Amino acid sequence: MTVTIDGGGGGDGGVSFLFRFRFRLPLPDLHSNLITISFVILYLTCSTSFTHVTASIHDYQNETFIHRSNSFFFHGGSEGLYASRVPSFNDTENSLNGKSFIRFESITFRRTKESAKNKNMMQKNTGLVEAIIVKVRDRDNIGGAYLNSDVICCTPELSRNFSCKGGEVIIRGKPDDPSGPKRIQTFFQGMNEETTMVLQTVDINSTGMYYLYFMFCDPELKDTTISGRTVWRNPDGYLPGKMMPLMTFYGLMSLAYLFLGLFWFLRFVQYWKDIIHLHYHITAVIFLGMCEMALWYFEYSNFNSTGSRPMAITLWAVTFTAVKKTVSRLLILVVSMGYGVVRPTLGGITSRVYLLGGAYFVASEALELVEHLGNINDFSGKARLFLVLPVALLDATFILWIFSSLSKTLEKLQIRKSMAKLELYRKFTNSLAVTVLLSVLWIGYELYFNASDPLSELWRRAWIIPAFWILLAYVILLVICILWGPSQNPTRYAYSEETGDDFDEEAVKLAGSGIKVSGDMSIILERKDRKASVGTDHHVFGGLGEDKEEDKRE
């Protein structure tokens, strides 16, 4: 059977979606989440099979209803859906091209034995459960607000006025708007403990954010459970509406990383004799970015075609994202410390750098796994906060350490009068400062966006939130590639031994002006003084005390 929701297209008008009764999902058990995450990481290492994770297909496994006001409800899912398109001549009769719908498959309701025993075998309908599909803009049509009542289900007093039908959820229909809230009723028969919803499809002909609730008003149906699944589809595939633009974005970013990798490879081959260790680190980040974007594009493409996510591809995409984020931050950190420019190695602080990187990888991997495995709308706010906080704190640690290291690197280059390197690091510092400023502004916008849109009414713009961070990471990598790219004059940034490091670089800059450079004895004396003080200087500030280790290497 097919039920059609008619109506025009258009958006939701920017209206805040706030029910007088709030629907909330139970918080997931955090201990169980940690066990699941550990199992998934182990599975990633040893599994080669393609197990599917449901996403646009919403599964219900003996879920219970929650009491609210004088009703009981279960949240069946929420997604942004575009209106179905008019079929083209190329579409067959059974083709899904251009169709947008919510399909109910094998939905079964099971009540308690006590509830069933209280009914009469001769009675036909002995219990009612309703599936209600509602759009954001139709929020005021659910419940008794327009009847000056806070109840959700129709009471005997309200039914006497012919305002609603007793035992049903109050829904106000509008003759001029047939796309309003839609109800589908399923009855228990006689003393049966189970009833199955008729297999049916609700066609979507009006664009909007849709919520599905299963509700009943009879208190005797308390402790009723629901099993089965619903399938949600957009005109171009099963990918939820708010994720659809991301598939195109990931495809474009894959090309962007491909062009950057090609440019970097040509420079690498052209100046292969002048390659330093830092260039290999940059190459690794470009490769990881290429793999990450390609994996996400194929993951979204598969998701869009099947309605479920292949666990193997999703896990690899999530892991590449966590690895790339970690390596990118470590690259910026070691560049800020002057690795390959002011110092040949990181010395004794290497272990602290690895420790911070390892902690960030674990925290980022956990967050990405929980965000991308499971239904699109089932990620609890408190659970997310539990996993976001460690990532945010580690990001703050990276920022503090990076700018502290940059300050010390700039100071050393200024003392040594390495003007070419100093200018290079000033450009890099300015670029990072602009990046941090943009990040702070964007975080403010993101907080405002989430606060003003608690139930995803602005779903068609939600994709720009993750897209910004991906694009910003690419821009930072591009800046590093430009500033530290292979060239025929590596002395402008490469580390040299003490006898020729700064002086050869300045000689290259000043030779054209006829200035004779024989060396700066004050710099040499200063270095010797710093070396002599190493034995007595034991002051290290957390992870920022890299001066001592660096001077040991000089």
Side-chain angles (χ1 to χ4, degrees):
M1 184 176 76
T2 300
V3 182
T4 302
I5 297 179
D6 295 314
D12 301 315
V15 183
S16 175
F17 185 37
L18 184 62
F19 276 94
R20 282 165 297 282
F21 48 95
R22 292 182 179 271
F23 296 111
R24 297 186 182 275
L25 292 175
L27 292 179
D29 184 10
L30 297 180
H31 179 68
S32 300
N33 278 344
L34 293 176
I35 295 176
T36 303
I37 290 168
S38 301
F39 171 80
V40 166
I41 294 175
L42 178 62
Y43 180 89
L44 175 64
T45 306
C46 60
S47 174
T48 57
S49 63
F50 282 71
T51 303
H52 286 80
V53 179
T54 58
S56 198
I57 299 174
H58 298 263
D59 279 309
Y60 320 123
Q61 299 179 0
N62 295 321
E63 308 286 350
T64 58
F65 287 70
I66 300 173
H67 183 254
R68 184 73 70 225
S69 183
N70 64 338
S71 70
F72 295 82
F73 79 93
F74 170 73
H75 183 203
S78 58
E79 286 187 20
L81 296 175
Y82 291 96
S84 299
R85 293 197 305 267
V86 177
S88 63
F89 292 105
N90 296 327
D91 295 337
T92 62
E93 184 177 351
N94 297 323
S95 174
L96 295 178
N97 291 336
K99 291 186 178 180
S100 182
F101 58 77
I102 301 175
R103 184 168 61 235
F104 296 84
E105 296 183 355
S106 62
I107 300 294
T108 301
F109 304 104
R110 183 178 181 85
R111 59 184 173 183
T112 61
K113 293 182 179 180
E114 292 76 12
S115 176
K117 287 180 180 178
N118 294 332
K119 306 302 178 181
N120 191 329
M121 180 65 72
M122 303 302 295
Q123 289 179 290
K124 183 178 180 182
N125 299 329
T126 56
L128 170 64
V129 182
E130 298 180 281
I132 298 176
I133 302 173
V134 58
K135 288 204 309 184
V136 173
R137 71 181 186 183
D138 297 324
R139 67 197 182 281
D140 293 329
N141 295 337
I142 302 294
Y146 73 100
L147 300 174
N148 298 320
S149 175
D150 294 331
V151 299
I152 300 171
C153 294
C154 187
T155 61
E157 293 78 11
L158 293 175
S159 63
R160 291 193 198 103
N161 299 327
F162 303 100
S163 301
C164 57
K165 187 175 180 179
E168 295 183 357
V169 175
I170 301 173
I171 297 180
R172 179 176 60 170
K174 294 182 179 180
D176 60 337
D177 185 14
S179 66
K182 190 72 181 180
R183 79 165 90 220
I184 304 172
Q185 297 182 333
T186 303
F187 291 92
F188 284 93
Q189 305 296 320
M191 299 178 64
N192 294 339
E193 296 181 16
E194 288 188 0
T195 184
T196 301
M197 192 173 179
V198 176
L199 177 64
Q200 57 189 290
T201 299
V202 176
D203 294 334
I204 304 298
N205 293 324
S206 177
T207 299
M209 171 59 69
Y210 285 84
Y211 285 77
L212 169 63
Y213 296 104
F214 296 94
M215 305 181 70
F216 60 83
C217 300
D218 187 356
E220 293 186 4
L221 293 180
K222 184 181 179 181
D223 297 327
T224 296
T225 60
I226 177 175
S227 301
R229 71 176 191 171
T230 56
V231 179
W232 304 53
R233 191 185 191 279
N234 268 290
D236 295 316
Y238 292 97
L239 202 61
K242 65 180 180 180
M243 299 174 64
M244 190 72 69
L246 281 174
M247 183 171 67
T248 303
F249 176 77
Y250 284 131
L252 294 176
M253 288 305 301
S254 298
L255 293 177
Y257 271 100
L258 181 62
F259 286 129
L260 179 59
L262 180 61
F263 164 78
W264 186 258
F265 175 76
L266 293 177
R267 300 282 293 184
F268 211 90
V269 172
Q270 185 178 2
Y271 302 107
W272 66 273
K273 292 184 179 180
D274 300 316
I275 296 301
I276 61 177
H277 286 293
L278 183 62
H279 292 146
Y280 293 103
H281 291 269
I282 298 175
T283 303
V285 175
I286 295 175
F287 173 77
L288 288 171
M290 241 191 291
C291 293
E292 177 196 11
M293 293 298 104
L295 282 170
W296 279 121
Y297 175 77
F298 287 117
E299 198 268 354
Y300 272 49
S301 179
N302 185 281
F303 183 5
N304 191 49
S305 300
T306 65
S308 56
R309 312 179 89 152
M311 184 176 287
I313 297 180
T314 303
L315 290 176
W316 281 113
V318 164
T319 301
F320 265 93
T321 297
V323 172
K324 186 245 183 178
K325 284 183 177 180
T326 303
V327 175
S328 298
R329 283 157 176 74
L330 292 177
L331 173 63
I332 297 174
L333 179 60
V334 299
V335 167
S336 302
M337 290 177 176
Y339 173 71
V341 179
V342 178
R343 55 170 65 180
T345 67
L346 296 180
I349 62 172
T350 303
S351 59
R352 286 196 288 274
V353 172
Y354 284 152
L355 180 62
L356 179 61
Y360 187 86
F361 169 76
V362 172
S364 179
E365 177 82 356
L367 177 61
E368 294 288 337
L369 284 173
V370 176
E371 279 189 325
H372 292 96
L373 296 183
N375 289 347
I376 298 303
N377 64 334
D378 66 355
F379 195 34
S380 168
K382 290 186 178 180
R384 188 177 192 278
L385 181 64
F386 174 79
L387 295 171
V388 165
L389 279 177
V391 177
L393 291 174
L394 290 170
D395 271 327
T397 303
F398 267 112
I399 292 173
L400 291 174
W401 199 352
I402 286 169
F403 278 96
S404 174
S405 301
L406 274 174
S407 176
K408 294 176 182 179
T409 301
L410 289 170
E411 181 181 357
K412 292 170 186 175
L413 291 173
Q414 193 168 11
I415 291 175
R416 299 176 186 181
K417 298 181 180 179
S418 301
M419 304 311 296
K421 295 177 183 179
L422 181 62
E423 182 64 20
L424 187 72
Y425 266 88
R426 280 177 176 168
K427 292 179 180 179
F428 182 60
T429 302
N430 293 336
S431 300
L432 284 185
V434 171
T435 299
V436 172
L437 178 61
L438 290 176
S439 299
V440 172
L441 293 176
W442 191 257
I443 289 173
Y445 171 76
E446 188 173 344
L447 292 174
Y448 167 77
F449 184 89
N450 292 329
S452 61
D453 187 37
L455 293 177
S456 301
E457 181 184 358
L458 305 177
W459 55 277
R460 278 173 285 187
R461 295 194 318 217
W463 69 274
I464 66 174
I465 299 295
F468 172 83
W469 298 112
I470 296 172
L471 188 60
L472 186 65
Y474 180 82
V475 171
I476 297 175
L477 179 60
L478 185 62
V479 169
I480 292 178
C481 290
I482 294 173
L483 294 179
W484 275 272
S487 70
Q488 60 186 0
N489 183 25
T491 57
R492 66 189 177 96
Y493 51 70
Y495 175 84
S496 303
E497 293 298 328
E498 187 174 77
T499 56
D501 180 21
D502 298 327
F503 309 115
D504 289 345
E505 177 189 4
E506 297 306 316
V508 171
K509 292 185 62 180
L510 301 178
S513 61
I515 300 177
K516 181 179 179 182
V517 181
S518 59
D520 193 335
M521 293 303 297
S522 63
I523 297 177
I524 299 176
L525 291 174
E526 181 205 350
R527 290 179 174 176
K528 291 182 178 180
D529 290 340
R530 289 212 307 266
K531 289 179 184 179
S533 65
V534 167
T536 58
D537 184 10
H538 298 286
H539 177 67
V540 177
F541 178 71
L544 308 180
E546 68 268 16
D547 288 338
K548 182 172 72 175
E549 288 81 359
E550 177 195 354
D551 292 336
K552 288 180 180 179
R553 306 294 305 184
E554 292 186 280

PDB file of all heavy atoms in Angstrom, residues 10 14 65 85 90 187 209 236 239 241 264 314 323 330 364 388 464 469 484 490 542 547:
ATOM      1  N   GLY A  10       9.805  23.661  -1.178  1.00  0.00           N
ATOM      2  CA  GLY A  10      10.158  24.802  -0.342  1.00  0.00           C
ATOM      3  C   GLY A  10      10.765  24.374   0.949  1.00  0.00           C
ATOM      4  O   GLY A  10      10.740  23.235   1.350  1.00  0.00           O
ATOM      5  N   GLY A  14      13.087  28.638   8.323  1.00  0.00           N
ATOM      6  CA  GLY A  14      13.932  29.081   9.421  1.00  0.00           C
ATOM      7  C   GLY A  14      13.229  29.106  10.759  1.00  0.00           C
ATOM      8  O   GLY A  14      13.618  29.813  11.669  1.00  0.00           O
ATOM      9  N   PHE A  65       8.857   2.205  24.650  1.00  0.00           N
ATOM     10  CA  PHE A  65       8.247   3.522  24.496  1.00  0.00           C
ATOM     11  C   PHE A  65       8.476   4.339  25.777  1.00  0.00           C
ATOM     12  O   PHE A  65       8.544   3.792  26.878  1.00  0.00           O
ATOM     13  CB  PHE A  65       6.754   3.394  24.216  1.00  0.00           C
ATOM     14  CG  PHE A  65       6.436   2.911  22.828  1.00  0.00           C
ATOM     15  CD1 PHE A  65       6.712   1.605  22.439  1.00  0.00           C
ATOM     16  CD2 PHE A  65       5.866   3.764  21.888  1.00  0.00           C
ATOM     17  CE1 PHE A  65       6.411   1.151  21.166  1.00  0.00           C
ATOM     18  CE2 PHE A  65       5.560   3.326  20.610  1.00  0.00           C
ATOM     19  CZ  PHE A  65       5.842   2.022  20.249  1.00  0.00           C
ATOM     20  N   ARG A  85      11.106  13.828  -7.401  1.00  0.00           N
ATOM     21  CA  ARG A  85      11.098  14.484  -8.707  1.00  0.00           C
ATOM     22  C   ARG A  85      10.089  13.806  -9.629  1.00  0.00           C
ATOM     23  O   ARG A  85       9.717  12.645  -9.445  1.00  0.00           O
ATOM     24  CB  ARG A  85      12.487  14.421  -9.346  1.00  0.00           C
ATOM     25  CG  ARG A  85      13.547  15.227  -8.623  1.00  0.00           C
ATOM     26  CD  ARG A  85      14.747  15.431  -9.538  1.00  0.00           C
ATOM     27  NE  ARG A  85      15.252  14.155 -10.023  1.00  0.00           N
ATOM     28  CZ  ARG A  85      16.216  13.459  -9.437  1.00  0.00           C
ATOM     29  NH1 ARG A  85      16.771  13.930  -8.335  1.00  0.00           N
ATOM     30  NH2 ARG A  85      16.633  12.319  -9.941  1.00  0.00           N
ATOM     31  N   ASN A  90      13.045   7.966 -19.137  1.00  0.00           N
ATOM     32  CA  ASN A  90      14.015   6.871 -19.047  1.00  0.00           C
ATOM     33  C   ASN A  90      13.766   5.980 -17.837  1.00  0.00           C
ATOM     34  O   ASN A  90      14.342   4.908 -17.730  1.00  0.00           O
ATOM     35  CB  ASN A  90      15.436   7.433 -18.983  1.00  0.00           C
ATOM     36  CG  ASN A  90      15.809   8.169 -20.250  1.00  0.00           C
ATOM     37  OD1 ASN A  90      15.364   7.807 -21.335  1.00  0.00           O
ATOM     38  ND2 ASN A  90      16.634   9.211 -20.111  1.00  0.00           N
ATOM     39  N   PHE A 187      -3.603  -1.689  14.674  1.00  0.00           N
ATOM     40  CA  PHE A 187      -4.398  -2.150  15.809  1.00  0.00           C
ATOM     41  C   PHE A 187      -3.968  -3.545  16.256  1.00  0.00           C
ATOM     42  O   PHE A 187      -3.592  -4.393  15.438  1.00  0.00           O
ATOM     43  CB  PHE A 187      -5.889  -2.187  15.446  1.00  0.00           C
ATOM     44  CG  PHE A 187      -6.496  -0.831  15.241  1.00  0.00           C
ATOM     45  CD1 PHE A 187      -6.528  -0.258  13.969  1.00  0.00           C
ATOM     46  CD2 PHE A 187      -7.037  -0.129  16.311  1.00  0.00           C
ATOM     47  CE1 PHE A 187      -7.104   0.983  13.770  1.00  0.00           C
ATOM     48  CE2 PHE A 187      -7.617   1.120  16.116  1.00  0.00           C
ATOM     49  CZ  PHE A 187      -7.643   1.682  14.849  1.00  0.00           C
ATOM     50  N   MET A 209      12.679  18.689   6.868  1.00  0.00           N
ATOM     51  CA  MET A 209      13.215  17.785   7.875  1.00  0.00           C
ATOM     52  C   MET A 209      12.055  17.003   8.466  1.00  0.00           C
ATOM     53  O   MET A 209      11.125  17.576   9.043  1.00  0.00           O
ATOM     54  CB  MET A 209      13.945  18.580   8.962  1.00  0.00           C
ATOM     55  CG  MET A 209      14.363  17.756  10.169  1.00  0.00           C
ATOM     56  SD  MET A 209      15.471  16.363   9.805  1.00  0.00           S
ATOM     57  CE  MET A 209      16.971  17.236   9.341  1.00  0.00           C
ATOM     58  N   ASP A 236      17.956  11.102  -5.094  1.00  0.00           N
ATOM     59  CA  ASP A 236      19.194  10.645  -5.738  1.00  0.00           C
ATOM     60  C   ASP A 236      19.875   9.497  -5.007  1.00  0.00           C
ATOM     61  O   ASP A 236      21.003   9.137  -5.342  1.00  0.00           O
ATOM     62  CB  ASP A 236      20.174  11.818  -5.871  1.00  0.00           C
ATOM     63  CG  ASP A 236      19.638  12.902  -6.800  1.00  0.00           C
ATOM     64  OD1 ASP A 236      19.110  12.548  -7.871  1.00  0.00           O
ATOM     65  OD2 ASP A 236      19.741  14.088  -6.444  1.00  0.00           O
ATOM     66  N   LEU A 239      21.461   8.415   0.739  1.00  0.00           N
ATOM     67  CA  LEU A 239      22.240   9.311   1.580  1.00  0.00           C
ATOM     68  C   LEU A 239      21.323  10.378   2.171  1.00  0.00           C
ATOM     69  O   LEU A 239      20.559  11.013   1.434  1.00  0.00           O
ATOM     70  CB  LEU A 239      23.349   9.968   0.752  1.00  0.00           C
ATOM     71  CG  LEU A 239      24.563  10.519   1.497  1.00  0.00           C
ATOM     72  CD1 LEU A 239      25.287   9.408   2.236  1.00  0.00           C
ATOM     73  CD2 LEU A 239      25.505  11.210   0.531  1.00  0.00           C
ATOM     74  N   GLY A 241      19.734  13.820   3.462  1.00  0.00           N
ATOM     75  CA  GLY A 241      19.816  15.102   2.780  1.00  0.00           C
ATOM     76  C   GLY A 241      20.953  15.982   3.259  1.00  0.00           C
ATOM     77  O   GLY A 241      21.615  16.646   2.459  1.00  0.00           O
ATOM     78  N   TRP A 264      53.659  18.397  -5.964  1.00  0.00           N
ATOM     79  CA  TRP A 264      54.726  18.083  -5.010  1.00  0.00           C
ATOM     80  C   TRP A 264      55.660  17.018  -5.586  1.00  0.00           C
ATOM     81  O   TRP A 264      56.882  17.099  -5.406  1.00  0.00           O
ATOM     82  CB  TRP A 264      54.116  17.597  -3.699  1.00  0.00           C
ATOM     83  CG  TRP A 264      55.111  17.374  -2.603  1.00  0.00           C
ATOM     84  CD1 TRP A 264      55.619  16.185  -2.176  1.00  0.00           C
ATOM     85  CD2 TRP A 264      55.720  18.378  -1.800  1.00  0.00           C
ATOM     86  NE1 TRP A 264      56.510  16.369  -1.158  1.00  0.00           N
ATOM     87  CE2 TRP A 264      56.601  17.717  -0.905  1.00  0.00           C
ATOM     88  CE3 TRP A 264      55.628  19.763  -1.745  1.00  0.00           C
ATOM     89  CZ2 TRP A 264      57.357  18.405   0.037  1.00  0.00           C
ATOM     90  CZ3 TRP A 264      56.387  20.459  -0.811  1.00  0.00           C
ATOM     91  CH2 TRP A 264      57.242  19.773   0.066  1.00  0.00           C
ATOM     92  N   THR A 314      34.230   2.133   5.946  1.00  0.00           N
ATOM     93  CA  THR A 314      33.998   3.170   6.950  1.00  0.00           C
ATOM     94  C   THR A 314      35.106   3.182   7.985  1.00  0.00           C
ATOM     95  O   THR A 314      35.607   4.245   8.377  1.00  0.00           O
ATOM     96  CB  THR A 314      32.645   2.950   7.639  1.00  0.00           C
ATOM     97  OG1 THR A 314      31.607   2.921   6.656  1.00  0.00           O
ATOM     98  CG2 THR A 314      32.349   4.067   8.629  1.00  0.00           C
ATOM     99  N   VAL A 323      44.501   9.340  11.621  1.00  0.00           N
ATOM    100  CA  VAL A 323      45.952   9.349  11.387  1.00  0.00           C
ATOM    101  C   VAL A 323      46.382  10.645  10.716  1.00  0.00           C
ATOM    102  O   VAL A 323      47.390  11.269  11.097  1.00  0.00           O
ATOM    103  CB  VAL A 323      46.368   8.137  10.533  1.00  0.00           C
ATOM    104  CG1 VAL A 323      47.834   8.245  10.119  1.00  0.00           C
ATOM    105  CG2 VAL A 323      46.151   6.841  11.306  1.00  0.00           C
ATOM    106  N   LEU A 330      51.312  17.031  14.114  1.00  0.00           N
ATOM    107  CA  LEU A 330      52.712  16.796  14.449  1.00  0.00           C
ATOM    108  C   LEU A 330      53.642  17.490  13.455  1.00  0.00           C
ATOM    109  O   LEU A 330      54.699  18.006  13.833  1.00  0.00           O
ATOM    110  CB  LEU A 330      52.996  15.293  14.480  1.00  0.00           C
ATOM    111  CG  LEU A 330      52.331  14.507  15.615  1.00  0.00           C
ATOM    112  CD1 LEU A 330      52.645  13.014  15.486  1.00  0.00           C
ATOM    113  CD2 LEU A 330      52.800  15.021  16.970  1.00  0.00           C
ATOM    114  N   SER A 364      40.862  11.032  18.872  1.00  0.00           N
ATOM    115  CA  SER A 364      40.223  11.347  17.595  1.00  0.00           C
ATOM    116  C   SER A 364      39.578  10.112  16.977  1.00  0.00           C
ATOM    117  O   SER A 364      38.470  10.181  16.435  1.00  0.00           O
ATOM    118  CB  SER A 364      41.264  11.941  16.637  1.00  0.00           C
ATOM    119  OG  SER A 364      40.689  12.241  15.392  1.00  0.00           O
ATOM    120  N   VAL A 388      34.246  14.621  22.726  1.00  0.00           N
ATOM    121  CA  VAL A 388      34.782  15.840  22.111  1.00  0.00           C
ATOM    122  C   VAL A 388      35.761  16.545  23.040  1.00  0.00           C
ATOM    123  O   VAL A 388      36.763  17.109  22.586  1.00  0.00           O
ATOM    124  CB  VAL A 388      33.626  16.787  21.721  1.00  0.00           C
ATOM    125  CG1 VAL A 388      34.136  18.189  21.426  1.00  0.00           C
ATOM    126  CG2 VAL A 388      32.897  16.247  20.500  1.00  0.00           C
ATOM    127  N   ILE A 464      28.358  22.421   5.684  1.00  0.00           N
ATOM    128  CA  ILE A 464      29.481  23.364   5.655  1.00  0.00           C
ATOM    129  C   ILE A 464      30.291  23.324   6.949  1.00  0.00           C
ATOM    130  O   ILE A 464      31.448  23.758   6.961  1.00  0.00           O
ATOM    131  CB  ILE A 464      29.002  24.801   5.389  1.00  0.00           C
ATOM    132  CG1 ILE A 464      28.144  25.316   6.543  1.00  0.00           C
ATOM    133  CG2 ILE A 464      28.236  24.886   4.085  1.00  0.00           C
ATOM    134  CD1 ILE A 464      27.755  26.775   6.409  1.00  0.00           C
ATOM    135  N   TRP A 469      36.472  22.664   8.181  1.00  0.00           N
ATOM    136  CA  TRP A 469      37.687  22.169   8.833  1.00  0.00           C
ATOM    137  C   TRP A 469      38.562  21.380   7.857  1.00  0.00           C
ATOM    138  O   TRP A 469      39.795  21.456   7.916  1.00  0.00           O
ATOM    139  CB  TRP A 469      37.311  21.290  10.031  1.00  0.00           C
ATOM    140  CG  TRP A 469      36.565  22.041  11.083  1.00  0.00           C
ATOM    141  CD1 TRP A 469      35.262  21.878  11.446  1.00  0.00           C
ATOM    142  CD2 TRP A 469      37.071  23.098  11.910  1.00  0.00           C
ATOM    143  NE1 TRP A 469      34.922  22.752  12.435  1.00  0.00           N
ATOM    144  CE2 TRP A 469      36.009  23.521  12.753  1.00  0.00           C
ATOM    145  CE3 TRP A 469      38.312  23.715  12.032  1.00  0.00           C
ATOM    146  CZ2 TRP A 469      36.159  24.537  13.683  1.00  0.00           C
ATOM    147  CZ3 TRP A 469      38.457  24.734  12.969  1.00  0.00           C
ATOM    148  CH2 TRP A 469      37.400  25.136  13.777  1.00  0.00           C
ATOM    149  N   TRP A 484      58.020  25.523   2.264  1.00  0.00           N
ATOM    150  CA  TRP A 484      59.101  24.555   2.447  1.00  0.00           C
ATOM    151  C   TRP A 484      59.228  23.603   1.260  1.00  0.00           C
ATOM    152  O   TRP A 484      59.762  22.514   1.398  1.00  0.00           O
ATOM    153  CB  TRP A 484      58.872  23.748   3.726  1.00  0.00           C
ATOM    154  CG  TRP A 484      59.395  24.440   4.948  1.00  0.00           C
ATOM    155  CD1 TRP A 484      60.652  24.370   5.465  1.00  0.00           C
ATOM    156  CD2 TRP A 484      58.662  25.312   5.805  1.00  0.00           C
ATOM    157  NE1 TRP A 484      60.750  25.151   6.578  1.00  0.00           N
ATOM    158  CE2 TRP A 484      59.539  25.754   6.820  1.00  0.00           C
ATOM    159  CE3 TRP A 484      57.358  25.791   5.808  1.00  0.00           C
ATOM    160  CZ2 TRP A 484      59.158  26.623   7.824  1.00  0.00           C
ATOM    161  CZ3 TRP A 484      56.969  26.665   6.808  1.00  0.00           C
ATOM    162  CH2 TRP A 484      57.856  27.068   7.797  1.00  0.00           C
ATOM    163  N   PRO A 490      68.313  25.075  -1.137  1.00  0.00           N
ATOM    164  CA  PRO A 490      67.772  24.577   0.120  1.00  0.00           C
ATOM    165  C   PRO A 490      68.336  25.291   1.334  1.00  0.00           C
ATOM    166  O   PRO A 490      67.794  25.174   2.427  1.00  0.00           O
ATOM    167  CB  PRO A 490      68.179  23.092   0.112  1.00  0.00           C
ATOM    168  CG  PRO A 490      69.404  23.046  -0.732  1.00  0.00           C
ATOM    169  CD  PRO A 490      69.206  24.091  -1.795  1.00  0.00           C
ATOM    170  N   GLY A 542      56.907  21.600  31.246  1.00  0.00           N
ATOM    171  CA  GLY A 542      56.028  20.588  30.637  1.00  0.00           C
ATOM    172  C   GLY A 542      56.634  20.037  29.385  1.00  0.00           C
ATOM    173  O   GLY A 542      57.754  19.552  29.351  1.00  0.00           O
ATOM    174  N   ASP A 547      64.475  23.692  24.494  1.00  0.00           N
ATOM    175  CA  ASP A 547      65.734  24.413  24.309  1.00  0.00           C
ATOM    176  C   ASP A 547      66.925  23.568  24.728  1.00  0.00           C
ATOM    177  O   ASP A 547      67.955  23.548  24.074  1.00  0.00           O
ATOM    178  CB  ASP A 547      65.711  25.713  25.121  1.00  0.00           C
ATOM    179  CG  ASP A 547      64.786  26.727  24.491  1.00  0.00           C
ATOM    180  OD1 ASP A 547      64.523  26.587  23.281  1.00  0.00           O
ATOM    181  OD2 ASP A 547      64.314  27.647  25.195  1.00  0.00           O
TER     182      ASP A 547
END
